[in-house]
Amino acid sequence: MPASPSGRWSSSARRPPTPSDEAPTTDAAAASQQVRDTLKAVADGLTAKAAKADAHAKPILEAGAMMAGDPGLAGAIDTQLQSGKGITNAVSAAVDEYCAMFESLGGYMAERVTDLRDVRDRTVARLLGQPEPGVPSLTEPSVLAAVDLAPAETATLSVETCLGIITSAGGPTSHTAILAAQLGIPAIVQAVGILDVPFGTTVALDGGVGEIVIDPSGDEQQSLLDRKARREKALAAGSGKGMTKDGHPVQLLANIGTAADARKAAAQDVEGVGLFRSEFLFLDRDTAPTVDEQTATYTEVLKAFGDRKVVVRTLDAGADKPLAFADLGHEENPALGRRGIRLGAVRTDLLDDQLQALANAYQATNANLWVMAPMIATRQEAAWFAELVRAKGLPKVGVMIEVPAAALRSFDVLSEVDFASLGTNDLGQYTMAADRMQGELSELLNPWQPALLDIIAYACDGGAKTGHPVGVCGEAGGDPVLALVLAGLGVNSLSMAPSKVRAVRTALALHDYAQCQQMAAAARASVGPKEAREVVLSMADPVLADLL
């Protein structure tokens, strides 16, 4: 999505440096109290912002406040203070240790590193008597530059004043990048050297292709404006159900994480929910949510969508998303450990409570509810989960395919359930053995990797043979060019940030199903992700270039 070419450059405030000559701590108890008071002030500030924020930003700001109030973090700072470190260096060292731990855990916990660093920077600034760092007040439409943005900062932005975001760090599947997409703000990450561009420079960016133009000429600005007008015209023509030009159906669904997300998405032109990330109910708690608490949330989500399809993923936590009330102990390689359904097999009480809550919500609404399990690897796991779900009287049971083994044996797995959904983010990192949070490996994590497309094709083949639908709920589904390939591979539904639905709907409507199949074959035959995308674009309707 191109940003306005007239955007002025504005940089996010830099991290306050910790003094290299800071005096060592001699009174650890007094310093500890000062740190706790400061952390509380940071938490109170985020809570105050949350109280004034819209429904989308509110839970993100509240999560930052909870992190600032985490007693474990305060305890880690105490340890540093007791070793003699100066107060700001103690905060920094403790947070660095937490960040290293979260990054080693991977997944959702690794994505929270940016939030941790945001809490650190706000705390250090207050301890130094400086204003908290963060996004400046944008008084005119601007493009925002930063090393990275915490979700708490991103959530407060609006498309009226923030025309785009460019960061020198981060990854394309980071929570901040996904949040920017949900807000409809173009974002480019891993733009090395971008912070060297002087403040006030006029820039243009194209979030679809990751292109940045510094000091665009008048002709370049006009070209981008013309393209933006063509894009808006093309998008205005599309509405309703997703389908190819010749009527082959491809459901277009929304990814959500909270009841607030559900209310917002339900008001838009989507066919339902392809992924409700239920773990947000469980995070940052000392005890598991009760059946009644879960029932209330699920009922609210189901009511928001009426008779439209809602796919709920059961708790995806464990080794890479540790919960205080479900700690299974240390693991040498937690990203490949007891997470998702593997945790559910050990803590059957958590899974049983969640399924009971979903059954209660279904009975109260008679909604179009589909329930799926994460991290399924074998037919036996799929059969075990299906038996539990059906015993609760739930109508549709499915699995996430994010482990290559499940894709390669998709006929076996899908023989036990009613549907599957591909989590392309995790499926990509497991296929390529590349951490999705490691920005330096972004090329391996490109969803256009032919090897990943091969894996997806295997999964869809099992769906075709069993007659069971296979969807995509990873961020790959929101790319209007890749959506054509996915449809051609046999994917039946695409779930994405709601802001991306219009472009994907329009792209599908420009091409018939046979063209999508030809594009899929050409992409799989390519030698790399760049070549795969280029060959598909060369085969596509020229209007497609204006949708990116």
Side-chain angles (χ1 to χ4, degrees):
M1 185 193 309
S4 167
S6 61
R8 296 284 288 176
W9 187 261
S10 177
S11 64
S12 177
R14 306 277 184 127
R15 169 189 174 183
T18 53
S20 59
D21 58 349
E22 186 175 47
T25 296
T26 56
D27 187 342
S32 173
Q33 187 59 53
Q34 185 180 357
V35 165
R36 280 167 165 74
D37 291 344
T38 305
L39 285 169
K40 184 179 185 303
V42 169
D44 289 346
L46 291 170
T47 300
K49 287 185 178 181
K52 300 176 182 178
D54 62 24
H56 190 83
K58 183 181 178 70
I60 296 169
L61 292 164
E62 288 176 338
M66 291 181 68
M67 187 169 287
D70 181 4
L73 177 59
I77 296 171
D78 284 345
T79 300
Q80 297 292 334
L81 291 170
Q82 289 161 8
S83 73
K85 279 192 173 67
I87 191 166
T88 64
N89 282 280
V91 171
S92 185
V95 171
D96 286 347
E97 284 187 356
Y98 256 57
C99 289
M101 177 181 68
F102 280 19
E103 286 172 335
S104 70
L105 293 174
Y108 178 80
M109 297 309 295
E111 292 170 6
R112 303 198 75 182
V113 164
T114 306
D115 298 274
L116 266 172
R117 290 174 177 152
D118 180 52
V119 169
R120 173 200 63 196
D121 295 347
R122 293 175 187 275
T123 303
V124 169
R126 282 179 174 268
L127 288 169
L128 294 173
Q130 300 175 7
E132 289 188 11
V135 175
S137 177
L138 302 179
T139 57
E140 62 177 317
S142 304
V143 173
L144 186 66
V147 174
D148 202 356
L149 288 179
E153 295 177 302
T154 310
T156 61
L157 300 173
S158 71
V159 293
E160 286 76 23
T161 54
C162 184
L163 299 177
I165 298 169
I166 307 176
T167 67
S168 60
T173 61
S174 71
H175 188 64
T176 299
I178 293 170
L179 179 57
Q182 292 172 339
L183 294 170
I185 298 175
I188 296 177
V189 299
Q190 286 287 310
V192 178
I194 196 64
L195 294 179
D196 296 330
V197 177
F199 175 82
T201 302
T202 300
V203 297
L205 69 144
D206 187 328
V209 298
E211 181 182 1
I212 302 167
V213 182
I214 308 298
D215 277 329
S217 66
D219 288 345
E220 287 174 320
Q221 291 192 35
Q222 189 58 51
S223 175
L224 286 170
L225 285 172
D226 291 345
R227 183 175 174 216
K228 183 178 180 181
R230 292 195 304 270
R231 181 178 192 276
E232 290 173 350
K233 180 180 178 180
L235 292 177
S239 63
K241 294 183 177 181
M243 64 182 70
T244 59
K245 190 175 182 179
D246 55 341
H248 177 79
V250 181
Q251 276 191 323
L252 301 181
L253 308 165
N255 289 340
I256 64 172
T258 65
D261 287 346
R263 291 191 296 271
K264 185 175 180 180
Q268 301 187 46
D269 189 5
V270 298
E271 296 177 64
V273 172
L275 174 63
F276 175 33
R277 301 179 178 93
S278 66
E279 61 268 15
F280 285 95
L281 282 165
F282 294 79
L283 297 171
D284 296 315
R285 296 178 59 117
D286 294 325
T287 59
T290 66
V291 171
D292 288 344
E293 286 178 292
Q294 293 185 63
T295 298
T297 296
Y298 303 145
T299 301
E300 184 177 355
V301 171
L302 294 178
K303 284 182 176 179
F305 282 91
D307 61 358
R308 286 180 285 177
K309 172 181 179 179
V310 175
V311 181
V312 177
R313 180 178 69 190
T314 57
L315 179 61
D316 187 11
D320 72 330
K321 301 172 189 175
L323 301 172
F325 50 85
D327 183 3
L328 299 183
H330 174 73
E331 293 182 325
E332 291 298 328
N333 197 342
L336 302 178
R338 291 177 291 179
R339 57 170 287 196
I341 196 63
R342 301 169 185 178
L343 171 64
V346 178
R347 289 295 305 273
T348 53
D349 57 319
L350 293 176
L351 181 57
D352 186 70
D353 282 356
Q354 184 169 28
L355 294 179
Q356 185 59 58
L358 287 164
N360 294 345
Y362 172 65
Q363 291 165 7
T365 60
N366 197 31
N368 188 5
L369 174 60
W370 302 42
V371 180
M372 63 181 178
M375 286 297 289
I376 292 291
T378 68
R379 180 171 185 160
Q380 290 81 0
E381 289 174 344
W384 176 76
F385 180 71
E387 183 178 1
L388 294 177
V389 174
R390 289 171 179 147
K392 297 291 186 183
L394 291 163
K396 293 285 186 180
V397 57
V399 298
M400 288 282 291
I401 293 182
E402 49 203 331
V403 177
L408 294 172
R409 301 301 296 256
S410 60
F411 176 81
D412 289 342
V413 172
L414 279 162
S415 294
E416 301 291 344
V417 295
D418 304 310
F419 72 98
S421 187
L422 294 156
T424 52
N425 298 342
D426 271 335
L427 187 59
Q429 76 167 344
Y430 290 135
T431 298
M432 305 304 292
D435 185 345
R436 60 183 280 197
M437 296 305 298
Q438 187 91 23
E440 295 80 2
L441 301 178
S442 59
E443 186 67 9
L444 289 174
L445 295 164
N446 191 319
W448 283 91
Q449 284 285 355
L452 177 59
L453 298 179
D454 286 343
I455 290 289
I456 293 172
Y458 278 114
C460 292
D461 184 57
K465 289 177 179 177
T466 58
H468 295 161
V470 175
V472 164
C473 61
E475 288 302 308
D479 178 344
V481 187
L482 188 53
L484 301 174
V485 172
L486 295 172
L489 291 173
V491 168
N492 306 106
S493 65
L494 299 167
S495 191
M496 64 203 78
S499 62
K500 297 186 176 184
V501 169
R502 285 201 308 162
V504 173
R505 181 189 291 117
T506 302
L508 289 168
L510 289 169
H511 305 86
D512 60 40
Y513 186 50
Q515 286 178 290
C516 293
Q517 291 177 309
Q518 293 163 4
M519 291 173 178
R524 291 181 67 189
S526 299
V527 298
K530 180 181 178 182
E531 294 79 7
R533 194 173 192 275
E534 287 177 347
V535 72
V536 171
L537 277 172
S538 72
M539 300 168 68
D541 188 301
V543 174
L544 183 63
D546 294 328
L547 300 179
L548 307 180

